[in-house]
Amino acid sequence: MLPQATGYGWNEVAHRYYDAETGRFVPQSEIRNALENLIDQSGLNMNALTQSLQDGKISLADWQTGMMEAIKQSHVASAALANGGWAQMTQSDWGATGQLIREQYDYLRNFAKEIADGTQALDGRLLVRSDLYADAANGTYWEMDKRDHLQSGFDEGRRVLEQGSDHCDDCLEYASEGWMPIDEIPEIGNSQCLTRCRCEIIYRRSGDNEE
């Protein structure tokens, strides 16, 4: 499912997508799958660009330009997915998304510099490192998700581990801390597993009687 797909609406109070025909909320697993598909597609695009660079088919400048465009597309789409669709993206949302994209551009600029001066060899590590830029859209999704929850009146949240996955020590510790003010929740990607983190954050209003 994409954020602009027909047949889906957005409930601003619950911060959930719903099926316009049935009125039922869309399972969060479906949203998660949409995000993973977005990241996977971006990764394929970035891998193709990086392989072309490694094979000498494109210049470093062309690779950097292509990577910047791929970063922009994936982060904008993940932000829209988190905010309920393109129509729900406010000027403030676009500004926050732009800042996150610029941070990735800074990392990419350093990456390109290391390729140019030989610090980063054109070997297998190049593809591994480029994958991180696709994974980074995951962090943008959760950062924008947090912003929108705050604007919708949610004030507490907690980290939840992805079932069936191996977890770094940081994520295990963060998840064990339970509910806390939203501003105190460690960001997705701010842990030992970096952009590969697949934890989730769930939210509540402190007046709700959730456990």
Side-chain angles (χ1 to χ4, degrees):
M1 185 190 70
L2 298 176
Q4 73 275 25
T6 57
Y8 293 94
W10 178 251
N11 185 312
E12 294 186 359
V13 176
H15 190 85
R16 295 280 300 275
Y17 286 96
Y18 63 88
D19 187 305
E21 183 176 349
T22 66
R24 295 177 179 174
F25 286 128
V26 176
Q28 291 300 105
S29 59
E30 190 171 332
I31 308 304
R32 184 69 189 181
N33 287 339
L35 178 61
E36 289 297 330
N37 288 338
L38 186 160
I39 292 171
D40 288 345
Q41 186 58 50
S42 179
L44 289 173
N45 188 9
M46 292 182 185
N47 278 340
L49 283 166
T50 304
Q51 189 65 59
S52 293
L53 175 67
Q54 189 171 343
D55 294 342
K57 296 179 179 179
I58 61 174
S59 68
L60 179 59
D62 286 342
W63 171 82
Q64 187 173 354
T65 299
M67 288 287 288
M68 288 176 68
E69 181 60 27
I71 287 170
K72 179 181 178 180
Q73 290 180 1
S74 64
H75 285 259
V76 165
S78 64
L81 181 64
N83 279 276
W86 301 110
Q88 279 68 45
M89 290 284 287
T90 65
Q91 185 174 357
S92 176
D93 293 328
W94 285 114
T97 304
Q99 179 58 41
L100 293 169
I101 291 172
R102 286 190 290 275
E103 290 175 5
Q104 292 301 311
Y105 286 172
D106 288 341
Y107 295 137
L108 182 70
R109 191 175 300 110
N110 183 63
F111 189 11
K113 179 179 180 298
E114 291 182 2
I115 294 172
D117 65 21
T119 303
Q120 170 62 65
L122 296 178
D123 56 20
R125 292 175 298 166
L126 195 71
L127 287 169
V128 173
R129 191 169 172 183
S130 70
D131 278 341
L132 297 176
Y133 289 90
D135 289 331
N138 185 58
T140 290
Y141 172 88
W142 290 107
E143 181 61 23
M144 298 304 293
D145 185 62
K146 180 177 73 174
R147 290 183 80 257
D148 200 49
H149 272 93
L150 278 167
Q151 292 169 1
S152 299
F154 293 81
D155 57 353
E156 292 185 339
R158 65 183 178 91
R159 292 276 290 261
V160 177
L161 300 172
E162 182 180 52
Q163 294 184 357
S165 298
D166 292 329
H167 308 290
C168 71
D169 291 340
D170 284 347
C171 289
L172 289 170
E173 179 182 348
Y174 297 155
S176 71
E177 293 175 352
W179 294 102
M180 64 181 67
I182 287 181
D183 289 339
E184 297 179 13
I185 302 171
E187 296 178 2
I188 298 294
N190 186 21
S191 54
Q192 295 168 3
C193 52
L194 300 175
T195 61
R196 299 191 186 281
C197 180
R198 288 300 180 267
C199 290
E200 299 184 16
I201 301 176
I202 61 174
Y203 299 94
R204 70 179 183 184
R205 298 176 178 89
S206 55
D208 295 343
N209 294 320
E210 292 189 42
E211 296 298 331

